[in-house]
Amino acid sequence: MRWESQKLTDDGGAVEPALLPLAGLVRTVRTPDFAGITFHEVTAKSVLNKVPPTSSMPFSWTINPFRGCSHACVYCFARKTHSYLNLDTGLDFDAQLVVKINAGEVLRRELSRPSWHREHVALGTNTDPYQRAEGRYRLMPGIISALADSGTPFSILTKGTLLARDIPLLKAAAQSVTVGMGISLALVDPVLAEAIEPGTPAPKARLELISRLREAGLPCGVMAMPILPWLTDGDESLDRLFGELASAGATGVSAGPLHLRPGSREWFMQWLSAHHPLLVPKYEQLYGGGSYASKEYREWLSGRVRVFRKKHGLTAGAGFLRNLSPAKEPAAAPDPTLSGSPAAHRPVQSSLF
């Protein structure tokens, strides 16, 4: 394919050659409001992604309006996906963002097909739909409306407090379809959070978001992942985490240890070496069997989680992905004109929800 006509623009009107040969690329843009971030705006042909039948995930379809994520969480498991674009899984994942600018229009068309059976659609499974770029592109209102209008149940998992903007829309959607809400929050120490999740809203802001969702009458589960060995897995840390989640009104909590998959493992270990060098040998031993902590560690952490979850009266499991059945009838007809030791076994992912 030829890309000579594609240009990179900035808000001052300067142009440079585009950086990526992406299908459907419209333009590549930088703006002073997002210093250090490059947006690659594309028109997508499809936004519904089918989950492989071999997956243990409790949903069959996902939507990811972005690729890459400015939250810049050093442990993010999705970093590997940027290598498919011939980008690195470190800084490029944080700063080279692909934006599906026509996501709402394309989704509405897909949901109007007779073959669509209104199965549960999950958002936030790969990159965060409420990362800061959503404030610029405003893709989620169109996505939420398309799902609700078609009678399709959906769930959202996010670290982004931009979600608060759409609470009225989500409340309205919940009148016609099942809506699952989940907040990702495992670090309540603001100093550690700033170091390891530098682009995310502060823990306090996410706790306040949980409370706002509950006040709006929406359930809100929490994914307290990842728990970091030797950094956030002590009794004092777990007690504080579950105590603050309970005070915020979380309707359930799933918690589990860090996963170090290829792409994220290298980036995380680089961070660990710079900030906590004495822990590097311990992590190498604990994760010597691959992406997952040893079976012994997982069982030990599960026991500590049960203790503090019970202490603070929290339900096991975030719950926001369960029983998301379609409405009997769509709320409205879609408009067709709108477009250690090695781990013995891999954990069963559906148990996390």
Side-chain angles (χ1 to χ4, degrees):
M1 301 181 72
R2 296 178 61 83
W3 302 98
E4 290 86 344
S5 62
Q6 302 297 341
K7 300 293 183 182
L8 185 149
T9 66
D10 61 31
D11 286 351
V15 296
E16 303 173 22
L19 301 179
L20 292 178
L22 291 169
L25 181 66
V26 175
R27 67 171 183 162
T28 295
V29 61
R30 298 189 185 119
T31 172
D33 293 338
F34 292 83
I37 294 178
T38 301
F39 296 108
H40 305 282
E41 300 175 354
V42 302
T43 53
K45 293 184 177 180
S46 174
V47 296
L48 279 172
N49 307 305
K50 178 67 174 175
V51 177
T54 55
S55 172
S56 57
M57 290 293 105
F59 45 81
S60 298
W61 298 90
T62 65
I63 296 173
N64 292 291
F66 303 100
R67 293 187 69 169
C69 187
S70 61
H71 284 339
C73 303
V74 296
Y75 53 76
C76 182
F77 72 89
R79 289 183 173 276
K80 179 67 174 177
T81 60
H82 246 43
S83 66
Y84 309 149
L85 302 176
N86 294 320
L87 291 169
D88 73 60
T89 61
L91 292 176
D92 282 347
F93 182 84
D94 303 338
Q96 300 283 339
L97 306 184
V98 178
V99 186
K100 301 172 185 177
I101 58 174
N102 61 339
E105 176 185 353
V106 172
L107 176 62
R108 192 171 286 272
R109 286 203 304 264
E110 291 181 295
L111 298 177
S112 69
R113 294 170 180 164
S115 59
W116 177 245
H117 299 299
R118 293 179 284 137
E119 299 175 71
H120 169 210
V121 175
L123 294 99
T125 61
N126 198 10
T127 57
D128 199 314
Y130 281 104
Q131 60 180 286
R132 211 162 61 88
E134 169 60 16
R136 173 184 174 91
Y137 289 99
R138 299 184 64 87
L139 301 176
M140 286 299 290
I143 291 171
I144 292 168
S145 296
L147 291 165
D149 290 350
S150 70
T152 299
F154 64 93
S155 61
I156 299 173
L157 175 64
T158 183
K159 291 183 172 81
T161 52
L162 271 168
L163 180 145
R165 179 200 67 196
D166 293 340
I167 286 177
L169 187 59
L170 290 164
K171 286 182 64 178
Q175 299 302 308
S176 56
V177 299
T178 306
V179 177
M181 298 303 306
I183 301 300
S184 177
L185 178 58
L187 302 172
V188 290
D189 179 342
V191 176
L192 182 57
E194 173 65 23
I196 202 168
E197 301 174 342
T200 63
K204 181 180 179 182
R206 278 178 274 167
L207 289 166
E208 291 171 352
L209 177 60
I210 294 169
S211 297
R212 289 188 63 179
L213 287 166
R214 299 295 291 121
E215 290 165 3
L218 292 166
C220 183
V222 172
M223 292 289 281
M225 298 183 182
I227 304 298
L228 303 172
W230 296 287
L231 289 173
T232 63
D233 63 351
D235 283 359
E236 182 178 349
S237 294
L238 293 173
D239 192 22
R240 178 183 177 187
L241 171 64
F242 285 101
E244 296 200 25
L245 294 178
S247 295
T251 50
V253 181
S254 288
L258 173 72
H259 297 164
L260 288 179
R261 300 179 184 177
S264 60
R265 183 187 187 107
E266 299 84 352
W267 194 240
F268 178 84
M269 293 302 292
Q270 180 179 322
W271 176 88
L272 192 69
S273 179
H275 292 82
H276 300 279
L278 296 180
L279 292 182
V280 171
K282 294 183 177 182
Y283 271 76
E284 289 176 341
Q285 183 179 14
L286 186 63
Y287 289 88
S291 300
Y292 298 90
S294 69
K295 181 181 179 181
E296 293 82 0
Y297 178 84
R298 299 198 311 268
E299 291 176 345
W300 171 82
L301 180 61
S302 179
R304 302 315 296 158
V305 164
R306 285 195 297 271
V307 167
F308 291 104
R309 193 157 45 197
K310 181 178 180 180
K311 175 181 177 180
H312 294 286
L314 289 163
T315 301
F320 62 93
L321 296 179
R322 288 182 178 171
N323 301 321
L324 297 192
S325 56
K328 292 183 179 179
E329 295 293 338
D335 183 351
T337 66
L338 297 177
S339 337
S341 57
H345 300 285
R346 177 171 176 167
V348 178
Q349 295 296 308
S350 58
S351 67
L352 302 178
F353 307 101

